[in-house]
Structure formats: structure tokens, C-alpha cells
Amino acid sequence: MPIENSKASEIKRLATPLTFKNSKAYDSEGNVIKCIETINDVRYIIEPREGILTEDEILQYAPKSKAASKIRLKRGLGNNNDVLLVHESLPWILGIFYMILICIAVPVFFSGNRLVMLLLLVLFIVPLIYLYRIFNLNAYQNTAKRRFIPKSKRKETVVQEEPVVEDIGVESLKRYEKKVNNLKVVFEVKEEVVRDLIEKRFAPPQLTYDKFINIVDSAHKLFYRQADAASSIINLAAEDTPRVQDEIESKISSMNTIIDQIERLTNELVINISNETGASEDVANLLDDMENLIDSVKDY
């Protein structure tokens, strides 16, 4: 139980928007969040604590973190942005290094000392080789492939390919259960956050507070209606067919859409609270969007 509570509290910390005060960013527990600055981006990222979440959970709840970038690169799924985030200080270090190197090289070039010039050339090339190595995405992919190939198959010189037969039947639908359960956890965390923000921004009793809470209540009912429907299909379907898969994926898609709307509402409320103004037009429009979403999905 303590482990689960720790995990739930960590997920909530990652899902709760940052607060800004005196040009500093803080997470929900009041910890200062470091500013991450790369060549093409400047942002504040909440990093997951070690030993609490699994790699898959980090990718789900903290996809923009440095830890998630390391996981994607390890699995051969990363890109150059992940490399830049993992090595965030490298561009600035290399910039300073080459500036110093150029300052040294100019007088050496005019002095004609070939031995020193050769040494400077080597120093100039070595960082470029290192850059090629860390930005070579194919190397990450090849490493990931080797990691997941069983040792017994690595020794085989001839591999006879056999057709892959997928499981057919109820058991093959169980792969959707994890998706549904993970989405439930995400929704629970985000719902708690948005309710806290609504109460903070529009202290009850207020008509505006009631309208916001009613929308969140409707989203809650709609979300779990879709989740229950997906679970019923997973557990009661007699066979795994394209139509059954489409129905389950449709329910999961609706759950994702509701979560996205709750997150949008959360972000608007955070901005609204920081501006210390009345309900903004953006928030009002978002409420209309959520009402339309609920009307369009609830009878599906």
C-alpha cells in the first residue's frame, strides 16, 4: 500500500501544472524546478524521482522529461531533440571550447609551429567525432535491437522464419486492459488537480463554481461510462474480430479526448489564476467545447 500511495503521489506531482513566483517555477510540493535550456528550446520540466515509476509509466506520465528521453534513446525510439535534452549543457560547453581553441589557433597559425597546429587540429576533430556518435540515431536503434535479441538466436547463422500466428480469442483482447487501467489512473489524477484549481479560483458558493464542477462531473461520468463499456467488451466478447477491436479503440479514443479536455481546462485555470482576473474568454470557450464533447459522446 505505501508503494501504491507513493506512486499515486508521484503521478499527481508530474501531472499538476507548475506554479511561478518571483521568476521561479515550483511543483505541487513546493520544490524549485530547474530551467532546461537547449539550442532550440527553453522550458521547465518536472523530472520523475528514481525508483518509483516504471519506464513505461515515465513515458506515459512524464514524456517530456530527461528521464523519458533517455528511455526512448535506450529503446531506439528517440530523436535529435531527445539527444539535446539528455546532453543539455553540451552545446554551451562545446561553444566555449571552440572559442578558446580559435583564440589559441590564430597566433599559432601565424607563428607557423606545425606540431602545435597538428595538436590543435586533433583537438578540433575529437569533439566532432563525439557529436557524431551521440547524434547517430542508428547506433541507438542497433543497440536496442541487440538488447532484445535472445542470446540463443545471436549464435544462429541461419534463421528459419516461421509465420507469426497471433492469439485469437478473448485472451488476445487482454492487451487493451492495461491501456484502460492506465487511462483511469491518469484521469483520476488530472480530475483531482482540476477540481482543486476550480475551488481555488472560484471559491464556493458561486454560480461559476457550480458550472465548472457540473462540467467536470459530467466529464467524470462520461469517462467512466466509456471505460466500463471498453472493459465489458474486453471481458465478454466471444472472439477477437476487427469490429470488436474498433469498438474498444473507439472507447479508448473517447477516454483520451476527455483527458485532453480536462488538461486544457487545467492549463487555462492556471493561467487565469496567475493573471488574477475573472473567468477568461478562453476558459468560457473551453467549457463550451467540453459541453459539446459530452453531448456528442455520451449517447455513443
Side-chain angles (χ1 to χ4, degrees), residues 1-12:
M1 183 64 70
I3 294 177
E4 290 300 323
N5 290 337
S6 176
K7 181 175 290 190
S9 124
E10 178 67 359
I11 292 173
K12 180 178 179 180

Side-chain angles (χ1 to χ4, degrees), residues 110-295:
F110 287 105
S111 68
N113 190 324
R114 295 185 178 181
L115 183 60
V116 178
M117 289 175 63
L118 180 61
L119 177 61
L120 291 175
L121 180 62
V122 172
L123 292 176
F124 185 89
I125 293 175
V126 168
L128 297 180
I129 296 174
Y130 178 70
L131 283 176
Y132 172 78
R133 179 184 174 189
I134 65 173
F135 278 96
N136 183 12
L137 299 179
N138 290 330
Y140 295 105
Q141 295 170 2
N142 293 335
T143 302
K145 288 178 182 178
R146 288 196 298 270
R147 185 179 294 114
F148 291 108
I149 294 177
K151 291 183 178 179
S152 59
K153 290 190 176 181
R154 291 180 194 174
K155 297 177 181 178
E156 294 177 0
T157 55
V158 178
V159 178
Q160 183 176 359
E161 296 185 359
E162 296 181 357
V164 178
V165 180
E166 294 186 358
D167 293 334
I168 298 177
V170 176
E171 287 302 318
S172 62
L173 293 175
K174 297 299 182 181
R175 64 186 183 276
Y176 290 108
E177 276 188 335
K178 186 176 180 180
K179 289 184 179 180
V180 173
N181 291 334
N182 284 342
L183 288 176
K184 285 182 180 179
V185 175
V186 174
F187 180 80
E188 181 181 344
V189 172
K190 292 185 180 294
E191 181 187 16
E192 183 179 351
V193 171
V194 79
R195 287 182 184 274
D196 290 344
L197 288 172
I198 292 171
E199 186 171 356
K200 180 178 180 180
R201 181 62 188 86
F202 308 104
Q206 285 190 46
L207 291 177
T208 308
Y209 171 84
D210 293 337
K211 183 175 182 180
F212 274 81
I213 291 299
N214 287 336
I215 288 294
V216 176
D217 288 341
S218 297
H220 176 95
K221 293 176 183 177
L222 179 59
F223 178 87
Y224 281 99
R225 189 181 304 168
Q226 300 298 309
D228 292 342
S231 296
S232 296
I233 297 173
I234 293 169
N235 295 323
L236 301 177
E239 57 182 347
D240 185 351
T241 65
R243 183 180 177 186
V244 170
Q245 293 178 17
D246 288 343
E247 285 294 327
I248 297 173
E249 289 172 0
S250 175
K251 303 301 181 187
I252 291 176
S253 176
S254 296
M255 294 167 67
N256 275 312
T257 302
I258 296 169
I259 289 174
D260 290 342
Q261 291 292 331
I262 290 291
E263 188 169 9
R264 285 182 59 202
L265 179 58
T266 299
N267 292 334
E268 289 295 342
L269 286 171
V270 169
I271 296 172
N272 194 254
I273 290 172
S274 64
N275 291 335
E276 297 184 351
T277 60
S280 68
E281 184 178 350
D282 289 338
V283 175
N285 291 337
L286 183 54
L287 281 178
D288 292 338
D289 290 343
M290 292 185 68
E291 287 177 332
N292 293 334
L293 169 69
I294 292 168
D295 290 338

